[in-house]
């Protein structure tokens, strides 16, 4: 049987409590979702501002479809770069206050394209240990030296930078760490990059729309303006739609247009998505109440949880991980919550380090204070 080795691997995953299951969602993304005909209150999505099913975005997508059709038909460099894509790139660059922006079909593709276009064999990538998988995959694919430093450890990063003989140095970091919820020490990282003549690539997948004045992201949060920064953010999380962009110095963007293979060799995303994203950008900027609500309920969760056995990680963002420990224990807690109509994902290795399996509670402006109280009291009752 040619599949027997695969079956053995799958059985092994099952035995370790690591086999993933997909669930089929029957409703739009929101605080309440229906699975298998049953309603749940969900704390699983990255739709931090509650925009994914906003009727105004749905309407904008319909309008975009009517105006531009569905398929882009070609890659950006051939004939797929539409007026909506172009307008969105300009709006994004203005929004994050950087010279120029470039759209990618997803955050994964953006990271792969950025890193492989900017560094190669004679270069080095320096990465936080807890960075997103897409940044790690990108570094490996680039063939640059790949040096990882312990999470948040600027001292260790400095030593690596000082010892490096690489031609080009690229420091890469999640801005908000996706499984821990903490914010990277960006001013320190930038100071090190300046001292050692390195570039700083920030992946703001979880900060864009949420952090900083008007949701402008981690650079606005820290008040940072620097030509060394290559800023990347995704558009399928707080922005509620799909895709990603990178914003940076014109020479960086022009290089990516010429050389980023995950940009060049792929069909442009449907222009109706870009049209919807123009609307989303406006809602992100205008509706401060969404960020205010999010901060309020983060506070409510911390206040209401009264747990000794498990540990809520120190996070001030919408990602509030509760570390349980073993894979099976985390799964068991998630299953008991599900029995009460509450969905919280159990995140296990290799997404997080061994022995730190956790519930990744993610909060959204779509949740009410009452929703968060329900979750807290269920968790308080389970321990
Ligand atoms: C989600 C995520 C990505 C990938 O973005 P997609 O648009 O979902 O492909 C990249 N980096 C980080 C930190 C993420 O959380």
């Amino acid at each position: 049987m040619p599949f027997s080795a695969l079956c053995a691997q799958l059985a092994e995953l099952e035995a370790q409590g690591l086999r993933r299951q997909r669930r089929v969602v029957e409703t739009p993304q929101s605080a309440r979702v229906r699975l298998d005909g049953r309603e749940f209150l969900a704390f699983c999505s990255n739709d931090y501002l509650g925009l994914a099913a906003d009727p105004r975005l749905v309407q904008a997508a319909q309008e975009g479809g009517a105006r531009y059709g569905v398929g882009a038909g070609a890659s950006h460099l051939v004939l797929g770069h539409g007026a909506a894509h172009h307008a969105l790139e300009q709006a994004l660059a203005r929004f994050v206050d950087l010279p120029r922006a470039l759209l990618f079909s997803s955050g994964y593709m953006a990271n792969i394209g950025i890193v492989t276009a900017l560094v190669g064999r004679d270069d080095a990538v320096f990465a936080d240990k807890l960075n997103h998988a897409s940044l790690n995959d990108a570094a490996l694919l680039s063939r640059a030296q790949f040096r990882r430093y312990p999470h948040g450890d600027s001292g260790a990063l400095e030593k690596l930078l000082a010892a490096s003989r690489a031609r080009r140095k690229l420091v890469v970091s999640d801005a908000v760490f996706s499984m821990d919820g903490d914010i990277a020490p960006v001013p320190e990282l930038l100071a090190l990059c300046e001292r050692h003549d390195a570039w700083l690539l920030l992946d703001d997948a979880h900060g864009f729309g949420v952090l900083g004045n008007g949701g402008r992201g981690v650079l606005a949060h820290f008040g940072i303006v620097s030509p060394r920064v290559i800023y990347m953010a995704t558009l399928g999380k707080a922005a509620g739609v799909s895709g990603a962009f990178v914003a940076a110095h014109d020479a960086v963007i022009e290089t990516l247009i010429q050389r980023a293979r995950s940009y060049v060799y792929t069909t442009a995303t449907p222009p109706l998505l870009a049209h919807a994203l123009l609307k989303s950008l406006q809602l992100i900027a205008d509706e401060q109440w969404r960020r205010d609500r999010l901060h309020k309920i983060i506070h409510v969760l911390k206040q209401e949880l009264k747990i000794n056995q498990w540990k809520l990680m120190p996070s001030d963002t919408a990602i509030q991980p509760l570390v349980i420990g073993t894979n099976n224990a985390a799964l068991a807690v998630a299953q008991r919550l599900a029995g009460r109509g509450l969905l919280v994902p159990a995140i296990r290795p290799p997404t997080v380090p061994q022995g730190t399996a956790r519930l990744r509670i993610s909060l959204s402006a779509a949740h009410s204070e009452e929703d968060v109280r329900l979750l807290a009291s269920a968790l308080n009752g389970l321990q």
Side-chain angles (χ1 to χ4, degrees):
M1 257 296 278
F3 303 120
S4 58
L6 298 184
C7 293
Q9 272 175 358
L10 291 169
E12 178 71 17
L13 283 179
E14 182 80 50
Q16 293 173 339
L18 290 177
R19 181 150 172 186
R20 314 294 172 98
Q21 303 284 346
R22 299 178 307 169
R23 307 180 200 249
V24 180
V25 185
E26 297 157 4
T27 49
Q29 197 59 246
S30 188
R32 282 179 179 69
V33 293
R34 195 175 58 240
L35 314 172
D36 294 326
R38 202 176 143 210
E39 220 184 76
F40 290 90
L41 177 55
F43 295 89
C44 312
S45 95
N46 305 309
D47 177 28
Y48 302 123
L49 298 180
L51 288 173
D54 190 285
R56 293 165 297 178
L57 290 193
V58 175
Q59 194 195 340
Q62 286 168 339
E63 224 175 73
R67 197 179 298 178
Y68 303 113
V70 179
S75 64
H76 282 276
L77 292 185
V78 177
L79 199 62
H81 186 63
H85 298 117
H86 204 68
L88 178 60
E89 287 180 346
Q90 291 173 339
L92 285 165
R94 267 197 309 277
F95 188 69
V96 297
D97 201 19
L98 283 161
R100 198 174 169 196
L102 185 70
L103 279 174
F104 280 81
S105 57
S106 73
Y108 192 96
M109 288 299 168
N111 284 337
I112 294 286
I114 298 163
V115 177
T116 58
L118 296 181
V119 294
R121 274 188 207 287
D122 301 323
D123 307 325
V125 174
F126 304 87
D128 189 291
K129 266 259 164 72
L130 295 190
N131 276 352
H132 191 262
S134 57
L135 289 170
N136 295 338
D137 294 357
L140 293 174
L141 196 60
S142 76
R143 304 195 184 122
Q145 278 181 3
F146 186 29
R147 298 271 182 266
R148 297 169 84 197
Y149 55 90
H151 179 51
D153 188 342
S154 307
L157 171 59
E158 165 123 62
K159 288 203 185 88
L160 291 175
L161 284 168
S164 173
R165 298 275 164 275
R167 182 186 62 160
R168 282 187 197 161
K169 300 171 191 163
L170 176 66
V171 173
V172 300
S173 181
D174 283 20
V176 175
F177 288 88
S178 51
M179 296 302 141
D180 290 41
D182 57 331
I183 302 175
V186 179
E188 276 174 54
L189 297 179
L190 183 58
L192 290 179
C193 287
E194 273 162 6
R195 203 169 310 149
H196 297 278
D197 194 22
W199 283 328
L200 178 59
L201 168 58
L202 292 171
D203 176 340
D204 203 19
H206 303 278
F208 181 77
V210 178
L211 295 180
N213 179 28
R216 284 170 171 74
V218 75
L219 297 178
H221 174 81
F222 284 113
I224 283 173
V225 182
S226 164
R228 285 187 186 277
V229 170
I230 300 162
Y231 178 84
M232 173 274 184
T234 65
L235 300 168
K237 289 172 180 159
V241 185
S242 180
F245 72 98
V246 53
H249 190 280
D250 180 59
V252 171
I253 299 300
E254 194 55 34
T255 300
L256 296 181
I257 293 174
Q258 306 305 321
R259 298 200 38 198
R261 296 171 69 85
S262 60
Y263 182 77
V264 174
Y265 297 107
T266 194
T267 301
T269 50
L272 65 87
L273 298 180
H275 192 72
L277 279 160
L278 280 164
K279 184 73 191 173
S280 172
L281 259 194
Q282 187 198 331
L283 299 180
I284 289 171
D286 290 351
E287 302 192 339
Q288 178 60 34
W289 67 265
R290 293 177 186 275
R291 283 176 291 279
D292 294 343
R293 156 93 62 97
L294 191 53
H295 289 132
K296 174 79 193 170
I297 61 178
I298 291 167
H299 179 71
V300 169
L301 178 71
K302 289 182 179 183
Q303 216 170 31
E304 298 284 318
L305 264 188
K306 296 189 172 62
I307 287 180
N308 306 315
Q309 191 182 348
W310 308 313
K311 192 168 128 260
L312 200 57
M313 297 188 73
S315 156
D316 293 320
T317 67
I319 302 165
Q320 292 287 323
L322 188 65
V323 175
I324 308 284
T326 69
N327 300 336
N328 286 329
L331 273 181
V333 178
Q335 271 158 12
R336 288 171 73 191
L337 288 174
R340 297 170 184 213
L342 297 162
L343 284 187
V344 185
I347 307 286
R348 288 154 280 160
T351 311
V352 294
Q354 284 291 345
T356 70
R358 64 196 68 176
L359 296 184
R360 180 181 184 272
I361 302 169
S362 63
L363 300 174
S364 157
H367 290 124
S368 66
E369 285 185 38
E370 195 45 43
D371 292 339
V372 175
R373 289 207 172 86
L374 266 171
L375 174 65
S377 83
L379 280 166
N380 291 341
L382 277 187
Q383 59 160 352

